[in-house]
């Protein structure tokens, strides 16, 4: 617990500090996290993390999360073009290796590059919100996700009786999940109260609900694929916390979700 606490304080201070500053350095941090997350996923699937085929995925993640805006570059490649090129290159890998790298393997690598690349791309872009409130929106989503996690944990321990999805995550309970929803919505409403009117209570409730429900589903998704490979943590980068994917499993589904549904009012 001591190690976990120290790691959490240091990593949280660095991340939130750079998020508050914003700009290129924050975006580069997100890019580094994305590439490490992809490495963790590739390694988990027992694929050579620096093999030739894996580098296709690294390139895809790099293109999806690259800081085009902070570098003032006007050559950003549309994400759908990146995905199609990735798909083509991965399929060609099955041909050039004569199925030594088969369709199942490249499907996993393609899935990882999309799942991680698009997820972290939206995390970075939230900080660059055009209304100038990027730090507010980023802190709002992170705080609501963390509130949901904490609420689910503590309410689940105190009141949990009914298992939520025991075959995937045996410790999660229905009561904990509901507690996480309530506390996430309450947290989002607090942000609304201090927003000077640019976040209404109704919008805050929808955002809090999304952070809790989609965030908990993101957590279950990671629990599901880690169970397939019989591993506890995706990596060891953060002592006591696991890897990047362990810490960001909710982030990389919540941030795209709220943007795609236009839940952030800008």
């Amino acid at each position: 617990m001591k190690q976990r606490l120290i790691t959490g304080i240091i990593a949280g201070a660095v991340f939130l500090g750079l998020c508050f500053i914003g700009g290129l350095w924050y975006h580069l941090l997100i890019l580094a996290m994305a590439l490490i997350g992809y490495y963790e996923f590739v390694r988990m699937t027992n694929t050579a993390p620096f093999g030739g085929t894996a580098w296709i995925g690294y390139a895809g993640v790099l293109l999806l999360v690259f800081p085009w805006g902070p570098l003032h570059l006007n050559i950003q490649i549309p994400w759908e073009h990146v995905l199609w090129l990735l798909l083509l290159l991965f399929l060609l890998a099955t041909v050039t290796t004569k199925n030594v790298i088969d369709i199942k393997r490249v499907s996993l690598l393609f899935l990882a590059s999309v799942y991680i690349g698009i997820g972290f791309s939206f995390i970075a872009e939230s900080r660059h919100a055009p209304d100038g409130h990027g730090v507010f929106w980023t802190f709002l989503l992170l705080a609501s996700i963390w509130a949901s996690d904490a609420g689910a944990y503590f309410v689940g321990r105190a009141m949990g009786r009914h298992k939520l999805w025991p075959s995937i995550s045996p410790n999660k309970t229905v009561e904990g999940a509901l507690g996480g929803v309530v506390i996430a919505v309450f947290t989002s409403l607090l942000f609304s109260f201090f927003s000077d009117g640019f976040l209404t209570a109704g919008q805050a409730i929808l955002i809090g609900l999304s952070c809790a429900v989609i965030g908990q589903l993101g957590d279950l998704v990671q629990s599901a694929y880690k169970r397939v490979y019989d591993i506890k943590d995706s990596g060891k980068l953060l002592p006591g916390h696991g890897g990047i994917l362990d810490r960001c499993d909710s982030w990389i589904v919540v941030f795209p979700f709220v943007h795609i549904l236009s839940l952030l009012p800008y």
Side-chain angles (χ1 to χ4, degrees), residues 10-195:
I10 295 173
V14 171
F15 180 85
L16 293 176
L18 284 175
C19 181
F20 185 80
I21 295 169
L24 178 61
W25 287 108
Y26 174 71
H27 203 124
L28 289 175
L29 173 64
I30 298 301
L31 175 57
M33 292 169 64
L35 292 171
I36 294 169
Y38 181 77
Y39 165 83
E40 291 175 353
F41 194 104
V42 173
R43 187 170 176 271
M44 178 186 64
T45 62
N46 299 316
T47 301
F50 298 114
T53 309
W55 281 106
I56 299 172
Y58 287 115
V61 172
L62 177 64
L63 287 174
L64 288 168
V65 193
F66 195 80
W68 306 100
L71 288 174
H72 306 291
L73 298 174
N74 296 317
I75 56 172
Q76 183 171 2
I77 305 173
W79 64 266
E80 60 270 24
H81 294 184
V82 175
L83 296 188
W84 189 87
L85 288 171
L86 270 179
L87 179 64
L88 177 62
L89 289 172
F90 275 127
L91 290 174
L92 289 176
T94 66
V95 176
T96 57
T97 65
K98 299 180 180 179
N99 270 334
V100 172
I101 304 294
D102 62 19
I103 190 67
K104 293 180 182 178
R105 182 74 62 185
V106 298
S107 296
L108 283 172
L109 297 178
F110 178 69
L111 172 67
S113 59
V114 175
Y115 167 60
I116 294 165
I118 291 181
F120 279 100
S121 172
F122 277 105
I123 294 171
E125 291 305 319
S126 296
R127 181 60 183 85
H128 310 314
D131 65 352
H133 297 303
V135 68
F136 177 89
W137 301 121
T138 303
F139 279 17
L140 164 64
L141 295 179
L142 290 175
S144 297
I145 291 169
W146 291 335
S148 172
D149 289 344
Y153 176 78
F154 288 110
V155 173
R157 289 200 58 168
M159 304 171 56
R161 297 292 182 273
H162 302 88
K163 296 297 183 181
L164 178 65
W165 213 310
S167 62
I168 297 297
S169 187
N171 294 325
K172 288 182 171 57
T173 64
V174 173
E175 293 82 1
L178 293 175
V181 170
V182 171
I183 295 175
V185 169
F186 176 76
T187 300
S188 188
L189 284 170
L190 282 179
F191 274 77
S192 173
F193 181 78
F194 292 105
S195 71

Side-chain angles (χ1 to χ4, degrees), residues 239-250:
H241 291 265
I244 290 295
L245 293 181
D246 293 309
R247 292 302 91 208
C248 301
D249 52 2
S250 298

Side-chain angles (χ1 to χ4, degrees), residues 196-259:
D196 291 329
F198 59 82
L199 175 65
T200 68
Q203 292 165 335
I205 290 172
L206 288 175
I207 290 170
L209 282 171
S210 298
C211 289
V213 175
I214 302 302
Q216 291 184 45
L217 287 174
D219 184 280
L220 287 170
V221 165
Q222 176 148 322
S223 295
Y225 66 67
K226 286 195 297 187
R227 186 166 289 272
V228 169
Y229 291 101
D230 193 27
I231 59 174
K232 181 180 183 294
D233 297 319
S234 66
K236 299 179 180 179
L237 180 66
L238 303 169
H241 291 265
I244 290 295
L245 293 181
D246 293 309
R247 292 302 91 208
C248 301
D249 52 2
S250 298
W251 306 12
I252 56 180
V253 292
V254 167
F255 276 80
F257 183 84
V258 298
H259 280 85

